Amino acid sequence: MAATMSEVFRISSEYIDAMAALDPFGATGMGVPGHDHEVTDFSPEGQAARAALNRATLSKLDAARGASHDDDVARDVMRDSLLQEIERYEAGDQYYELRSIAGPVQALQEVFELMPRDTEADWRNIVLRLEGLPRSAASLQQMFQEGIRRGQLSARRQVEETLRQVTSFSGGNPEVAAAFAGLPALLEEAGIDSPGLTSDLERAIGREREAFTGLHAFIEERYLNEAPEAEAAGRERYARAANQFLGSRIDLNETYAWGWEEVGRLGEEMRRTADRIRPGAAIAEAAGLLDADAARTIEGEAALIAWLQAVEDTAISNLDGVHFNIAGPVKTIEACIAPPGGALAQYYTPPSEDFSRPGRTWYPTGGHTQFHRWRELTTAYHEGVPGHHLQCATAVYQAEHLSRFHRLAVWYPGYGEGWALYAERLMAELGYLNDAGDYLGMLLGQMHRAVRVVVDLGMHLQLPIPNTSTFEPGEQWSYERMLAFLMERAQMPHDMAHSEVVRYLGWPAQAISYKVGERAWLRLREESRARHPQDFSLKTFHDTALALGSMGLDRLGDLLRVAY
């Protein structure tokens, strides 16, 4: 960052520091130091304090003078994000966050996976945060209690799934290790000689178990009986969420129809690819043949992580200087096993502000010990390189041009998940998925996201299944039909399909951001190609787009049309 910080960049930096103090879990996620020993207050008072900061910062931004193009972008992106946060808070959308994935309940566990563990001071922070978890869990109960009072509750299925997870976190599921059960062994492996630290850690883990036990009791005894059976968000809440996730107001009915078209198109391509694997084979038969192929099978978690790490490192080596310019700090990535008990969805966490914590991909095994390369390769590209890691870590690296808020706190799934899905397709275009099995794996991933568009919009908006469909024509969507459609069209096992459907039901509109975002990225690439008919450069397009950082799709289009 420049030695003399502009007014807009100063407001951005001050906001990050102020928000880190109000949301220590968020500070850890952003990699902002100084708050790893603290816990987040989720209570209505804590929510109100963060909303007040958003409003005050918005007023400062409106009064600030921009001195450069970078300032104008920083202010516009920050205003967009703060306005959406204020809208979300005033609508009470936070009260619906008792859900199966990416909610505050999961944050009570997942934030510890992002904390440093190198020094005695790091472990003391872990102990202090564990000891504070009962306070954070109690504040979460206060927030959800307010949701009960206001009549803004998550659906019963979300509550039941969250109860299952909290049972696992607290050690109540004999088949899943309790949250933090492995920390004492990790402390021993670290070789830190500190009398009393082990006993302090074990005592703090006991306090954490109390937090989850108390939260479980509240959800089961107070929340569950109040939770409605109805799972559809409705058009108003869905449209608001879609705009927040995409940064673009889309025609929801047109998108539903387009989703069905994508399902049909991808189905035809999958059938052609299955025929390459064995002439005349159906898609399910081809998938079974690939699963039975020992050469495509990985045995054990250790072998899986070693393979995933090799995939990421090879992609970085091969793509750098050819299709992307990858900065030095961005070339480090870690493949990790996700903590047990959560949703069965792979995810990525970005590097810390100073890159002392690298970007990481997380794989939830769900108790499985056998994995299939042909199914996982495309997801490795999605979560790692050229997907989320290249995108997010590149933004963190852009301190000279992007504000601190923009680099650390802005995340539009339409931009981010759309890019990561585009990255899967890109690797096929570049020849990395020429093997028919690997290509079928990519197509299954594409079909998975197309099915998401159909079932998410169809269920939450209560749109009928088209009469032209071969699947339940004319019927209304339900959990059971969503599950069956996902298993049939995306060849997904029951446990994974269940986890996915519950995710969609509790997180309306997030699921459509992948395909809708990819659609936007492909359109923007073709627009850039049309502007440069003689000298279009894929590398220039990629580098220009990633250097802009996360933003709404409409603003991305406006800036890209000027930048390239």
Side-chain angles (χ1 to χ4, degrees):
M1 191 176 296
T4 302
M5 192 181 300
S6 73
E7 185 178 7
V8 172
F9 272 49
R10 177 183 56 77
I11 292 170
S12 165
S13 186
E14 289 174 351
Y15 175 89
I16 289 295
D17 289 335
M19 184 56 77
L22 292 174
D23 181 10
F25 287 179
T28 297
M30 292 185 291
V32 175
H35 301 279
D36 284 343
H37 61 295
E38 301 168 343
V39 296
T40 294
D41 176 6
F42 293 103
S43 72
E45 292 76 19
Q47 300 279 351
R50 291 188 282 278
L53 174 63
N54 289 337
R55 293 192 187 99
T57 303
L58 187 61
S59 296
K60 292 179 182 178
L61 276 178
D62 288 341
R65 292 184 177 182
S68 66
H69 175 70
D70 287 347
D71 279 354
D72 292 340
V73 172
R75 179 169 50 196
D76 289 344
V77 170
M78 193 170 187
R79 286 191 83 260
D80 290 346
S81 185
L82 292 178
L83 284 169
Q84 289 188 341
E85 282 298 310
I86 291 168
E87 178 187 44
R88 176 180 170 277
Y89 171 76
E90 292 178 347
D93 289 340
Q94 66 272 21
Y95 299 118
Y96 297 103
E97 288 189 338
L98 199 158
R99 61 183 181 226
S100 68
I101 188 172
V105 172
Q106 291 77 24
L108 294 175
Q109 181 204 29
E110 291 174 357
V111 68
F112 287 87
E113 297 297 324
L114 304 178
M115 295 177 65
R117 299 173 183 171
D118 300 321
T119 67
E120 180 180 348
D122 293 337
W123 283 95
R124 288 292 176 190
N125 283 337
I126 291 172
V127 169
L128 288 171
R129 180 167 274 178
L130 285 170
E131 290 175 342
L133 269 193
R135 295 196 309 277
S136 194
S139 74
L140 198 51
Q141 293 179 38
Q142 294 172 28
M143 182 182 77
F144 289 136
Q145 182 65 49
E146 176 64 12
I148 294 173
R149 188 190 69 79
R150 295 167 56 124
Q152 293 178 283
L153 295 88
S154 298
R156 186 177 182 89
R157 195 185 308 275
Q158 297 301 313
V159 182
E160 292 172 341
E161 183 65 19
T162 304
L163 274 174
R164 182 195 66 76
Q165 293 180 6
V166 175
T167 298
S168 297
F169 297 161
S170 64
N173 182 352
E175 297 182 359
V176 178
F180 317 119
L183 285 180
L186 292 175
L187 174 59
E188 184 177 352
E189 289 177 14
I192 297 171
D193 184 14
S194 176
L197 182 55
T198 299
S199 59
D200 289 346
L201 177 62
E202 291 174 346
R203 184 166 54 252
I205 290 172
R207 290 282 289 152
E208 162 272 319
R209 302 265 168 83
E210 293 175 16
F212 282 124
T213 301
L215 184 59
H216 186 284
F218 166 78
I219 296 173
E220 184 174 51
E221 298 168 10
R222 183 69 186 92
Y223 199 105
L224 183 62
N225 290 334
E226 301 284 346
E229 295 288 343
E231 300 185 270
R235 187 171 289 266
E236 180 181 351
R237 183 154 70 97
Y238 193 96
R240 183 169 63 249
N243 182 49
Q244 291 168 355
F245 285 131
L246 300 172
S248 178
R249 297 191 184 277
I250 62 171
D251 183 325
L252 299 178
N253 288 72
E254 184 277 334
T255 304
Y256 182 63
W258 170 76
W260 277 104
E261 293 173 2
E262 279 293 280
V263 167
R265 181 187 67 80
L266 289 165
E268 289 299 320
E269 192 168 3
M270 287 167 64
R271 281 185 280 276
R272 291 193 296 270
T273 305
D275 193 64
R276 289 172 54 198
I277 294 167
R278 175 176 285 179
I283 297 169
E285 180 185 0
L289 291 169
L290 294 171
D291 282 343
D293 185 350
R296 299 177 184 269
T297 301
I298 300 171
E299 298 289 347
E301 289 185 358
L304 172 68
I305 290 301
W307 177 73
L308 288 171
Q309 188 68 57
V311 168
E312 303 295 357
D313 292 342
T314 300
I316 290 171
S317 176
N318 290 350
L319 296 175
D320 183 31
V322 182
H323 300 292
F324 300 88
N325 285 315
I326 304 177
V330 178
K331 294 179 182 180
T332 300
I333 183 173
E334 289 184 4
C336 306
I337 296 294
L344 300 181
Q346 294 184 52
Y347 60 96
Y348 169 80
T349 55
S352 58
E353 186 173 14
D354 62 358
F355 283 91
S356 61
R357 182 190 74 208
R360 291 168 176 156
T361 59
W362 299 86
Y363 190 104
T365 64
H368 297 288
T369 58
Q370 188 179 82
F371 312 95
H372 304 289
R373 297 173 194 262
W374 73 276
R375 291 182 182 270
E376 307 302 341
L377 180 58
T378 190
T379 308
Y381 293 141
H382 179 110
E383 300 296 341
V385 175
H388 285 319
H389 175 69
L390 187 54
Q391 169 193 60
C392 296
T394 297
V396 173
Y397 185 72
Q398 296 292 316
E400 183 177 351
H401 298 290
L402 302 184
S403 74
R404 197 172 178 217
F405 176 88
H406 194 171
R407 289 181 287 115
L408 303 182
V410 177
W411 177 250
Y412 283 87
Y415 173 99
E417 300 297 354
W419 169 267
L421 194 58
Y422 164 80
E424 295 186 48
R425 182 193 294 259
L426 175 68
M427 292 304 274
E429 293 174 354
L430 297 179
Y432 287 83
L433 298 170
N434 286 342
D435 175 84
D438 293 341
Y439 190 68
L440 183 61
M442 187 277 291
L443 290 176
L444 281 174
Q446 288 276 334
M447 176 65 85
H448 175 192
R449 280 41 171 259
V451 167
R452 281 178 170 178
V453 173
V454 168
V455 300
D456 198 62
L457 280 161
M459 180 68 178
H460 285 295
L461 272 57
Q462 290 294 278
L463 299 172
I465 298 172
N467 289 324
T468 55
S469 169
T470 58
F471 177 86
E472 303 279 0
E475 297 292 340
Q476 291 290 328
W477 286 104
S478 64
Y479 161 81
E480 290 78 15
R481 289 193 176 101
M482 294 171 75
L483 188 72
F485 196 59
L486 204 59
M487 293 173 66
E488 174 188 306
R489 299 302 170 97
Q491 301 295 308
M492 191 172 288
H494 184 276
D495 60 345
M496 182 65 178
H498 165 77
S499 182
E500 285 288 299
V501 169
V502 173
R503 166 185 174 172
Y504 311 154
L505 292 172
W507 209 3
Q510 194 274 345
I512 70 171
S513 61
Y514 298 72
K515 281 296 288 183
V516 174
E518 181 204 37
R519 186 187 193 186
W521 275 108
L522 289 169
R523 183 184 69 248
L524 292 171
R525 186 177 71 174
E526 292 316 301
E527 288 180 5
S528 293
R529 194 187 302 276
R531 287 193 296 272
H532 299 272
Q534 304 300 323
D535 60 347
F536 174 77
S537 164
L538 192 60
K539 181 157 73 74
T540 300
F541 172 76
H542 290 155
D543 290 345
T544 302
L546 292 183
L548 290 173
S550 184
M551 61 183 64
L553 292 174
D554 287 349
R555 192 166 297 283
L556 172 67
D558 292 342
L559 290 175
L560 261 179
R561 291 180 189 105
V562 173
Y564 187 59

